[in-house]
Amino acid sequence: MEPALRAGVRRAVGLSPVHPPRSHPGNPRASGASKRLERKPPPVVRPEGSELLFGVAPCALALARARRGLFRLFLQPSSGSRRAVTAELALQAAARGVPVQRVRRRELDALCRGHVHQGVCLEATPLRFKSLEEAEKPDVGGEERAKPRPVWLVLEHIQDPMNLGALLRSAYFLGVDRVVTSQRNSCPLTPTVSKASSGVMEVFDVYSTDDLRSFLKAKSAEGWELVGTVSKPEDVEDVPVISCLEFRWNKPVILVIGSEGDGLSLETQLLCHRMLTIPPGRALHPGIESLNVSVATGILLHSICSQKLRHGD
Amino acid sequence: MEPALRAGVRRAVGLSPVHPPRSHPGNPRASGASKRLERKPPPVVRPEGSELLFGVAPCALALARARRGLFRLFLQPSSGSRRAVTAELALQAAARGVPVQRVRRRELDALCRGHVHQGVCLEATPLRFKSLEEAEKPDVGGEERAKPRPVWLVLEHIQDPMNLGALLRSAYFLGVDRVVTSQRNSCPLTPTVSKASSGVMEVFDVYSTDDLRSFLKAKSAEGWELVGTVSKPEDVEDVPVISCLEFRWNKPVILVIGSEGDGLSLETQLLCHRMLTIPPGRALHPGIESLNVSVATGILLHSICSQKLRHGD
């Protein structure tokens, strides 16, 4: 469950609204609080089930797309080049009927609990993972089925929100058709993930499954190639290991990435047809024999996806 | 200047030593504090000019190499697979004559101010950037000059310690021969950088220069190829832009990477012979047209360095 949902309604700091917060349907406490305190700035009462997006890219993209319920946009007065950004966000909010509240920097700092907000926060309903059943509906999956060689990214137990965000950003940029995560032991789609993804999470669907192994077995039976990755090739048994430089992408492929600490589980490794490695460029000191998971995944995805660009299809 | 140096001696929390802290030469306050408080655990008095490394990899590698002055190793009691790691660290510390202090988890949390310490902290003198003059001494530079095609990574104004750490980790793994940063507006070599580099900072020299442009001009005059990178090729003027897939590495090369927010300064761009881009794999939504700087650098370095592996030299 999302931390924001567990916390429910909570108070943060007194703010100085330019536009007083409107009452939100189904949330009488928000409007009640602003009526009770007429002389000093009303405290920020957060609608139940809301969360606070922060940073320019996540807020701008959440405003541009209609994927979340939006409550309020918080803006810090700005100058210089940031002024134009703030003005554009205020216009977007007005067009969507989202109230704008001007706040001082330290108030925004307190609301965001130390996150780097770049002067912008957006109160919104959380984003959820999509289920694979939703994806299988004919009207959703049509585009992907038409592609001769799709590439999907499957994430097993990625727990660090910064890594999940960076992985989504890379997957989107490099042309991955779908991202699927394991439901168990994985990071949810939090505002920190959205910031780390530079807002990609606001435009790119992320799917999850509570039975990763059955899903992988089914794709394998459909003719997809499953490739995993390991930092220590000598630890892999019963699965061929090749360098990513040798891999040829000639059918639908799923790249399966394991957790930051432990890598792929043994059961998932055994479902893979091949393991890809990134050859190191020097003799490595014991204890530092791997890359950061999001850098390694970026390199592997680029190795795969750039074959499409090289061959022009 | 390092934050630890500015702060000087500071008190943190009361700890429960198994081995009482030894007095450190030139630091009478450390031994004085432990004598004054005999009944309750002595407060941690930090030697002036020390900093606190955290995490298994940075601490283990700092102990293994003789690059820092080492004061104390803090260990949290552990069980399971981590027990062996802790025992090995205690042995390494004993071999180096570094006192070991056993502490409770919450004491370590307080000492580390919320960083993920994995049960291990090491009090040590800071690491400094090396100067390029040091590198030019014949006994240091010999190995590099013998290489027909070295690759160096130059960082202009990288300010985020997580990015700097990830960049060092990638540069080391992929075989970069030297990393040089601009002295101005760049992140120093802090414990957070060491953790983000997974300890690479403890074994891999990082150089800096206070005159990046003169340095780049000199390398260009020596026959090195300078390649930069941009996320928006349309913004580049007067420098040829090519895809990293087309780049051929046939002489000594320097990859120049700019800051997270603004990219390369215009002056540095104009010193580059070519700009490399990573072709996107889809039509990108406005506002999310780039990769994370450490992922992008990983892909570019891999594109360059893997040519050595492909051609077998």
Side-chain angles (χ1 to χ4, degrees):
Chain A
M1 190 185 272
E2 295 274 334
L5 289 177
R6 279 203 305 272
V9 174
R10 59 183 180 214
R11 287 161 192 276
V13 290
L15 298 184
S16 339
V18 169
H19 308 279
R22 292 182 200 166
S23 69
H24 305 301
N27 180 28
R29 293 175 74 174
S31 56
S34 63
K35 276 180 199 157
R36 276 198 303 276
L37 300 161
E38 285 179 7
R39 288 198 211 151
K40 60 178 181 177
V44 175
V45 180
R46 296 273 313 283
E48 194 149 2
S50 74
E51 64 182 20
L52 210 58
L53 280 170
F54 54 92
V56 172
C59 296
L61 291 159
L63 276 169
R65 312 285 286 207
R67 303 171 87 218
R68 296 176 180 262
L70 303 177
F71 297 105
R72 257 182 305 188
L73 180 69
F74 296 98
L75 290 178
Q76 173 192 322
S78 53
S79 57
S81 64
R82 195 168 276 179
R83 199 184 178 100
V85 175
T86 306
E88 175 60 31
L89 285 169
L91 275 177
Q92 275 193 43
R96 292 281 308 272
V98 178
V100 177
Q101 197 159 339
R102 310 273 170 178
V103 291
R104 286 189 293 258
R105 180 183 174 152
R106 64 183 173 80
E107 294 165 332
L108 216 47
D109 289 347
L111 259 178
C112 284
R113 301 174 175 204
H115 289 298
V116 179
H117 50 67
Q118 302 172 303
V120 189
C121 285
L122 180 64
E123 195 173 57
T125 56
L127 279 184
R128 305 263 172 237
F129 291 115
K130 292 211 161 191
S131 74
L132 286 168
E133 290 70 34
E134 284 178 82
E136 295 309 323
K137 288 178 194 163
D139 55 336
V140 180
E143 187 202 355
E144 281 160 14
R145 268 201 288 276
K147 283 196 177 180
R149 284 184 305 163
V151 55
W152 289 13
L153 176 66
V154 164
L155 306 174
E156 185 184 48
H157 307 165
I158 295 289
Q159 297 185 324
D160 180 313
M162 302 301 286
N163 278 335
L164 180 57
L167 287 166
L168 294 180
R169 188 174 178 184
S170 301
Y172 175 77
F173 184 96
L174 295 168
V176 167
D177 298 287
R178 187 175 298 175
V179 175
V180 182
T181 81
S182 60
Q183 229 163 61
R184 205 164 46 84
N185 291 335
S186 290
C187 174
L189 296 177
T190 63
T192 302
V193 177
S194 187
K195 180 68 162 53
S197 79
S198 194
V200 162
M201 194 182 96
E202 305 301 319
V203 308
F204 190 46
D205 285 332
V206 187
Y207 294 81
S208 84
T209 173
D210 58 358
D211 188 354
L212 194 62
R213 276 159 217 155
S214 297
F215 160 71
L216 290 174
K217 279 180 194 166
K219 298 311 281 183
S220 180
E222 285 173 26
W224 288 56
E225 176 155 23
L226 310 184
V227 294
T229 186
V230 280
S231 53
K232 291 187 179 178
E234 61 276 17
D235 291 351
V236 179
E237 288 176 22
D238 302 324
V239 184
V241 178
I242 62 164
S243 154
C244 64
L245 302 173
E246 294 164 34
F247 180 74
R248 291 294 159 263
W249 182 26
N250 45 28
K251 56 178 166 173
V253 67
I254 289 179
L255 176 65
V256 198
I257 299 291
S259 75
E260 298 87 350
D262 301 323
L264 285 179
S265 66
L266 187 60
E267 295 87 338
T268 301
Q269 278 187 39
L270 293 174
L271 293 174
C272 291
H273 300 106
R274 287 194 275 183
M275 289 290 167
L276 301 186
T277 61
I278 300 168
R282 58 160 37 89
L284 301 171
H285 196 286
I288 33 180
E289 293 127 331
S290 66
L291 287 162
N292 169 292
V293 67
S294 58
V295 174
T297 306
I299 291 173
L300 293 175
L301 286 176
H302 183 255
S303 294
I304 298 171
C305 297
S306 63
Q307 294 182 26
K308 185 152 58 177
L309 296 163
R310 275 186 222 270
H311 304 146
D313 60 354
Chain B
M1 190 185 274
E2 296 274 333
L5 288 178
R6 278 204 306 273
V9 174
R10 61 185 179 213
R11 288 161 192 277
V13 291
L15 299 183
S16 340
V18 169
H19 309 279
R22 293 184 200 165
S23 67
H24 305 300
N27 180 29
R29 293 175 73 175
S31 58
S34 63
K35 275 181 200 157
R36 276 198 303 276
L37 301 160
E38 285 180 8
R39 287 198 213 153
K40 61 178 182 177
V44 176
V45 179
R46 297 273 313 283
E48 194 149 3
S50 75
E51 63 182 20
L52 210 58
L53 280 171
F54 54 92
V56 172
C59 296
L61 290 160
L63 275 169
R65 312 284 287 207
R67 303 172 86 217
R68 292 177 182 262
L70 304 177
F71 297 105
R72 259 181 303 186
L73 179 69
F74 297 98
L75 289 178
Q76 174 191 321
S78 54
S79 57
S81 64
R82 195 168 276 180
R83 199 186 180 98
V85 174
T86 306
E88 175 60 32
L89 285 168
L91 275 177
Q92 275 193 43
R96 293 281 308 271
V98 178
V100 178
Q101 197 159 339
R102 310 274 170 176
V103 292
R104 287 189 293 260
R105 181 185 172 148
R106 63 181 174 79
E107 293 165 333
L108 216 48
D109 288 348
L111 259 179
C112 284
R113 303 175 174 202
H115 289 298
V116 179
H117 51 67
Q118 302 171 304
V120 189
C121 285
L122 181 63
E123 195 172 58
T125 56
L127 279 185
R128 305 261 173 239
F129 291 114
K130 291 210 162 191
S131 74
L132 286 168
E133 291 70 34
E134 283 179 82
E136 296 310 323
K137 288 177 193 163
D139 54 336
V140 180
E143 188 202 355
E144 280 159 14
R145 269 200 288 277
K147 283 195 176 182
R149 285 185 304 163
V151 56
W152 288 14
L153 177 66
V154 165
L155 306 174
E156 185 186 48
H157 308 165
I158 295 288
Q159 296 185 326
D160 181 312
M162 302 300 287
N163 278 336
L164 180 57
L167 287 166
L168 294 180
R169 188 174 177 183
S170 301
Y172 175 77
F173 184 96
L174 294 167
V176 167
D177 298 286
R178 186 175 297 175
V179 175
V180 181
T181 81
S182 60
Q183 230 163 59
R184 207 165 43 86
N185 291 334
S186 290
C187 174
L189 297 177
T190 64
T192 301
V193 177
S194 187
K195 180 68 162 56
S197 79
S198 195
V200 162
M201 194 182 97
E202 304 302 318
V203 308
F204 191 47
D205 285 332
V206 187
Y207 294 80
S208 84
T209 171
D210 58 358
D211 188 354
L212 194 62
R213 275 159 218 155
S214 297
F215 160 70
L216 290 174
K217 280 181 194 165
K219 298 310 281 183
S220 181
E222 285 173 26
W224 287 57
E225 176 155 21
L226 310 185
V227 294
T229 186
V230 281
S231 55
K232 292 188 179 177
E234 62 275 18
D235 291 351
V236 179
E237 287 175 26
D238 301 323
V239 184
V241 178
I242 63 164
S243 154
C244 65
L245 302 173
E246 294 164 35
F247 179 74
R248 291 294 159 262
W249 182 27
N250 46 29
K251 55 179 166 171
V253 67
I254 289 179
L255 176 65
V256 198
I257 299 290
S259 77
E260 299 87 351
D262 301 323
L264 285 179
S265 66
L266 187 61
E267 294 88 340
T268 301
Q269 278 187 39
L270 293 174
L271 293 176
C272 291
H273 300 106
R274 288 195 275 181
M275 288 290 168
L276 300 186
T277 62
I278 300 169
R282 57 162 37 90
L284 300 171
H285 195 288
I288 33 180
E289 293 128 330
S290 67
L291 287 162
N292 169 293
V293 67
S294 57
V295 174
T297 307
I299 290 173
L300 293 175
L301 286 176
H302 183 254
S303 294
I304 298 171
C305 297
S306 64
Q307 294 182 26
K308 185 153 57 175
L309 296 163
R310 275 187 223 269
H311 303 146
D313 60 352

